[in-house]
C-alpha cells in the first residue's frame, strides 16, 4: 500500500491512503503515520482495505496533490543516515589523496541527523550559498520496534515502509565540524522525504536482498543529472544498517534509516556523467570529486538561489512510485 501525510494545519498532519497510480487518496480512522507504525498489526488491515477499495473503484477518494503533503513522517523519533555506497566514500577519499580505512568495508558509516522536523517534499531549502548547498538523493526505510542486538534476519522483518529522501548537505560547513571530532550538526539541515511511503510488497521483484533495485532519478534545473541503480554497489543492505543501530540500544517504531548517497562505480569523469553516457550522480559533491581527481580542482558549483532539484523513482513500466521530491533553493528567506 501507499501512504502519505497531508498538511491539515497540525504538526503531524493527516495520514491518508494513496492509490497505486498516485491520483487519489482517502482517509481512515487512523490519524497519523506514527500512530499506524506504533500499532502496525492492528492498523494495517483498515489501511489495506482502504487501499484495495481505492484501486478497485475509481469513484472512491479525492484528488491527490503532492503540493499539499508533508513528508510522510513530518517529524520522527530517530533519523539515522548511513553511507552504504562505498564508491561515494572512495571518491571523497581519493580526491584528498587519502586511503579508505579497511574497517569501512565491514562496519557501516552512519550519522544521527535531526528529526524533530523535516521540510516537505515540495518545500524550499533555506540556506546561504557560501555554505555549499548540495542535495543527496537516497533511499530510506522506516522500521518497526526492534530490540537491542537484533540480527539482520530480524531487522529485515521490521522494515515497514520505504521512501526517498533529499538529505540536504551544506558542504562548506562540514570540514570544520568534522575537525572538532564530534560529527555533523549545522552542516546537516532538515531533509525532505518523498510525498509517498510504500510497503515493500508494492515494489515486487525490485525489492530483494533488502535493497531497492531500480534507478534513482535526479534532475537539476530541469536537466537529468543522474539515474544510478540503487540496488547496485550497495555494500551494506538495509537489514545490516538497521542491525548496526541496534547494537547498543532498542529502536522505536518510526525510526528512519537512510542508505546514503546512491552511487554506482564508473570509470572516470568523462564517462560518468549523463552527457557522456554514464549514469550520472546523486549529489554535486560526487561530480566535484571526479573533477578534483582528474583536473586538480572542482568546477561544478554548488546550488544557488533558484536552483531546483527533483528526485524520483520509476518502476519498470515508467510509473512514479513515491511521487517526486522537488526542492528549490531560497537564499533570501
Amino acid at each position: 500500500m501507499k501512504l502519505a501525510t497531508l498538511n491539515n494545519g497540525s504538526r503531524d498532519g493527516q495520514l491518508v491512503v494513496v492509490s497505486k497510480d498516485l491520483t487519489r487518496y482517502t482517509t481512515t480512522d487512523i490519524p497519523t503515520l506514527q500512530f499506524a507504525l506504533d500499532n502496525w498489526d492492528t492498523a494495517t488491515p483498515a489501511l489495506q482495505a482502504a487501499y484495495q477499495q481505492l484501486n478497485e473503484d475509481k469513484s472512491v477518494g479525492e484528488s491527490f496533490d503532492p503540493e499539499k503533503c508533508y513528508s510522510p513522517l513530518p517529524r520522527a523519533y530517530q533519523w539515522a543516515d548511513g553511507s552504504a555506497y562505498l564508491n561515494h566514500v572512495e571518491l571523497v577519499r581519493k580526491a584528498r589523496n587519502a586511503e579508505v580505512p579497511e574497517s569501512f568495508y565491514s562496519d557501516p558509516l552512519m550519522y544521527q541527523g535531526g528529526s524533530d522536523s523535516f521540510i516537505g517534499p515540495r518545500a524550499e531549502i533555506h540556506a546561504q550559498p557560501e555554505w555549499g548547498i548540495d542535495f543527496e538523493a537516497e533511499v530510506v526505510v522506516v522500521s518497526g520496534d526492534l530490540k537491542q542486538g537484533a540480527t539482520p534476519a530480524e531487522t529485515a522483518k521490521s522494515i515497514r515502509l520505504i521512501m526517498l529522501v533529499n538529505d540536504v548537505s551544506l558542504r562548506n560547513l562540514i570540514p570544520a565540524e568534522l575537525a572538532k571530532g564530534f560529527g555533523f550538526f549545522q552542516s546537516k539541515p532538515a531533509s525532505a522525504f518523498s510525498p509517498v511511503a510504500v510497503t515493500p510488497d508494492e515494489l515486487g521483484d525490485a525489492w530483494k536482498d533488502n535493497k531497492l533495485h531500480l534507478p534513482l532519478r535526479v534532475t537539476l534545473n530541469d536537466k537529468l543529472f543522474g539515474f544510478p541503480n540503487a540496488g547496485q554497489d550497495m555494500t551494506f543492505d538495509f537489514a545490516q544498517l538497521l542491525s548496526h543501530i541496534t547494537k547498543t540500544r532498542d529502536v522505536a517504531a518510526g525510526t528512519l534509516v537512510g542508505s546514503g548517497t546512491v552511487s554506482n562505480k564508473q570509470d572516470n569523469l568523462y564517462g560518468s556523467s549523463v552527457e557522456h553516457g554514464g549514469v550520472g550522480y546523486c549529489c554535486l559533491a560526487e561530480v566535484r570529486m571526479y573533477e578534483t581527481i582528474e583536473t586538480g580542482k572542482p568546477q561544478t558549483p554548488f546550488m544557488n538561489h533558484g536552483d531546483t532539484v527533483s528526485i524520483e523513482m520509476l518502476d519498470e513500466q515508467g510509473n512514479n512510485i513515491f511521487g517526486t521530491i522537488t526542492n528549490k533553493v531560497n537564499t533570501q528567506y
Side-chain angles (χ1 to χ4, degrees), residues 1-6 8 10-18 28-41 43-44 47 70-77 118 140-144 160-163 193-199 252-256:
M1 61 185 167
K2 300 192 174 188
L3 304 173
T5 296
L6 296 186
N8 65 351
S10 69
R11 179 169 286 184
D12 295 307
Q14 169 66 57
L15 175 65
V16 298
V17 182
V18 183
T28 69
D29 290 335
I30 300 166
T32 66
L33 182 53
Q34 185 61 54
F35 183 93
L37 291 162
D38 287 338
N39 302 277
W40 191 251
D41 290 341
T44 50
L47 295 171
Y70 285 142
S71 284
L73 280 169
R75 53 179 174 166
Y77 290 117
F118 301 117
V140 179
V141 297
V142 186
S143 83
R160 305 293 189 230
L161 297 165
I162 299 155
M163 308 185 293
F193 294 81
S194 53
V196 173
V198 311
T199 48
T255 289
L256 308 175

Side-chain angles (χ1 to χ4, degrees), residues 183-206:
F184 302 119
F185 194 84
Q186 291 179 334
S187 53
K188 287 290 189 176
S191 298
F193 294 81
S194 53
V196 173
V198 311
T199 48
D201 60 287
E202 282 292 318
L203 300 168
D205 293 340

Side-chain angles (χ1 to χ4, degrees), residues 111-114 116 168 170 173-174 177-178 180 182-190:
Y111 83 92
Q112 192 170 40
D116 54 328
V168 181
L170 304 176
L173 300 184
I174 289 175
E177 286 204 303
L178 293 184
K180 295 177 180 179
F182 221 51
F184 302 119
F185 194 84
Q186 291 179 334
S187 53
K188 287 290 189 176

Side-chain angles (χ1 to χ4, degrees), residues 106-183:
S106 58
D107 190 31
L109 287 170
M110 189 168 286
Y111 83 92
Q112 192 170 40
S115 60
D116 54 328
S117 66
F118 301 117
I119 62 173
R122 302 296 172 86
E124 292 182 334
I125 298 169
H126 292 165
Q128 294 304 307
E130 62 267 24
W131 295 343
I133 308 163
D134 199 358
F135 52 86
E136 293 191 61
E138 310 179 15
V139 179
V140 179
V141 297
V142 186
S143 83
D145 288 312
L146 287 166
K147 289 295 185 182
Q148 182 177 340
T151 66
E154 292 169 333
T155 60
K157 297 175 183 177
S158 81
I159 295 173
R160 305 293 189 230
L161 297 165
I162 299 155
M163 308 185 293
L164 307 179
V165 65
N166 176 14
D167 178 44
V168 181
S169 290
L170 304 176
R171 300 291 186 184
N172 292 341
L173 300 184
I174 289 175
E177 286 204 303
L178 293 184
K180 295 177 180 179
F182 221 51

